[in-house]
Amino acid sequence: MADKEELIAQGYKAYESDEIIVFWKPDLCEHATECIRGNDKVFDVSRRPWVDLSQAPSVEIAEIIDRCPSGALKYILKK
């Protein structure tokens, strides 16, 4: 997987907590809503920023992102 700097250089926006960094690239998003259906407290398009990493454990967030069909969402779990 790419590192933080590479993903940002590719146009991804970063949302970061102590345990995880979530990346989102809006122009790749197919609006399949896997993220919102996975946890609408973490992923809420009516809120800015729309990603709130404090709303679920990092492992759950990673599992939701793994279902993103477009690759618009990516993550890095911190050690």
Side-chain angles (χ1 to χ4, degrees):
M1 171 171 266
D3 66 16
K4 180 179 178 179
E5 291 77 24
E6 289 174 311
L7 289 169
I8 290 172
Q10 293 173 22
Y12 283 85
K13 298 177 182 192
Y15 304 89
E16 190 165 352
S17 74
D18 291 340
E19 298 177 358
I20 191 170
I21 309 170
V22 171
F23 301 92
W24 178 56
K25 189 169 183 181
D27 60 335
L28 287 182
C29 186
E30 296 175 355
H31 305 290
T33 69
E34 287 294 327
C35 53
I36 295 164
R37 284 186 282 144
N39 188 321
D40 63 359
K41 290 179 178 42
V42 174
F43 303 99
D44 181 351
V45 295
S46 69
R47 177 184 64 220
R48 295 292 178 258
W50 78 287
V51 178
D52 183 351
L53 301 176
S54 70
Q55 296 299 314
S58 296
V59 173
E60 178 184 330
I61 295 169
E63 290 171 356
I64 293 166
I65 292 171
D66 285 339
R67 295 192 299 261
C68 178
S70 66
L73 286 168
K74 297 184 180 293
Y75 65 91
I76 296 173
L77 288 171
K78 297 179 178 180
K79 301 280 175 179

